[in-house]
Amino acid sequence: MKVVITGSRGKVGRAAVGRFVEAGHDVLGVDLVRPVFDTGVDEPGRYVMGDLTDAGTAFSVVAGADVVVHVAAIPQPTANPAHVVFHTNLMSTFNLVEAAVRFGVPRFVNVSSESIVGNFFPERPFLPDYVPVDEEHPLHPQDPYALSKAFGEQLMDAAVRRSDLRAISIRPSTVHDDGNYEANLGPQVREADPESANFGSYVDADDLADALLLAAESDLPGHEVFYIAAADNAGGHDVAATLREHHGDRIELRELDRVDASGISTAKAARMLGWRAKRSWRDHLDTEGHALPKA
Ligand SMILES: NC(=O)c1ccc[n+]([C@@H]2O[C@H](COP(=O)([O-])OP(=O)(O)OC[C@H]3O[C@@H](n4cnc5c(N)ncnc54)[C@H](O)[C@@H]3O)[C@@H](O)[C@H]2O)c1
């Protein structure tokens, strides 16, 4: 298939491009950064430099595509002014969906976020109603990033309502790769009873790339939403004990399939996409949270 992958130079985009090229797809990457011949960055597949908040750029890259895998975004609300985060994320999604509908592209894979539920960046306190959080949990976004993802999912709903486009939104947990496991998850692994917005949930970038590939190749109708997270939590903590320690009985604890389970359920992705996490922080870190020696 001809696959457009946006945000192809970012953490998730790089993993996705590698996975799609390996699977034999014809990949066109799009990102804000300069092309390979300028930078020496080795990117498989073809590449176009462009700002997707510009409709012309979105239309020119989507023309002729079989699938759009929309990864590009500002991935948190803290490093840019609020309106820049909201505008960048919402308008890039709007322009790409608009182009996909107008060109009759059959499949759109939209990278959303676990923070859509309301955790991570709330201005006023937020707790989930229950753990593990799943796709049925109500959404209570407060910050511009989570709001942009919530509206992005609504754009998918509208697109399947008004056209033959089929859409899948993937809500990844925090994403980690070789380059940042130690810095990002090391402290959480070391702590005995860490307080965390998502109860230690995370996902490996390559596991997420597998989910994006399954979504792109899926025949599912309509717009489906899937959480994607590792099976365990960072540090292998007893999630029920951590939850009680920090929140008493203010959060309903639902069935867990293991003591060190993620705070996010990926049962729907297993059932409908055939996706299962294959990787863990344990492949990268020791139990003190330090990087394992390279094989
Ligand atoms: N990293 C995480 O923990 C995490 C968790 C949940 C969801 N996500 C989502 O996953 C996706 C990828 O995140 P990431 O961690 O790879 O972030 P990243 O910052 O590493 O990559 C994002 C890429 O998008 C590009 N981009 C931003 N604005 C653009 C624009 N207007 N036009 C074209 N390209 C643009 C950036 O240049 C960058 O290369 C995002 O949608 C993010 O919201 C990330």
Side-chain angles (χ1 to χ4, degrees), residues 6 18 24 47 60-61 64 104 111 117 136 141 158 163 174 206 213 239 253 261 295:
T6 71
Y47 177 76
S60 86
V61 297
V111 177
V117 78
E136 302 303 314
S163 74
T174 61
D206 288 323
L213 182 65
V239 68
L253 182 62

Side-chain angles (χ1 to χ4, degrees), residues 31-164:
D31 206 306
L32 290 173
V33 297
R34 287 181 299 149
V36 172
F37 55 80
D38 249 6
T39 60
V41 174
D42 185 21
E43 176 172 302
R46 294 172 296 122
Y47 177 76
V48 166
M49 175 186 174
D51 181 348
L52 294 161
T53 62
D54 169 56
T57 301
F59 272 71
S60 86
V61 297
V62 169
D66 298 307
V67 185
V68 175
V69 180
H70 179 35
V71 180
I74 295 177
Q76 79 293 99
T78 48
N80 293 270
H83 70 285
V84 175
V85 174
F86 189 73
H87 173 84
T88 301
N89 294 358
L90 195 63
M91 286 316 297
S92 59
T93 307
F94 178 85
N95 290 336
L96 287 162
V97 174
E98 191 63 17
V101 167
R102 296 298 159 225
F103 286 130
V105 174
R107 166 68 67 199
F108 198 102
V109 179
N110 168 48
V111 177
S112 181
S113 171
E114 64 163 321
S115 65
I116 194 170
V117 78
N119 58 3
F120 278 106
F121 310 106
E123 290 186 25
R124 294 188 170 179
F126 165 84
L127 285 179
D129 299 344
Y130 58 84
V131 168
V133 167
D134 61 15
E135 293 81 359
E136 302 303 314
H137 195 291
L139 304 182
H140 303 293
Q142 297 182 32
D143 66 90
Y145 172 70
L147 280 165
S148 72
K149 295 296 185 180
F151 286 124
E153 290 192 9
Q154 286 187 34
L155 291 177
M156 302 304 133
D157 289 334
V160 302
R161 209 177 286 138
R162 70 190 166 117
S163 74
D164 293 333

Side-chain angles (χ1 to χ4, degrees), residues 132 231 254-262 265-267:
R254 296 201 171 166
E255 196 181 326
L256 299 165
D257 49 15
R258 51 196 282 176
V259 173
D260 63 348
S262 168
S265 167
T266 55

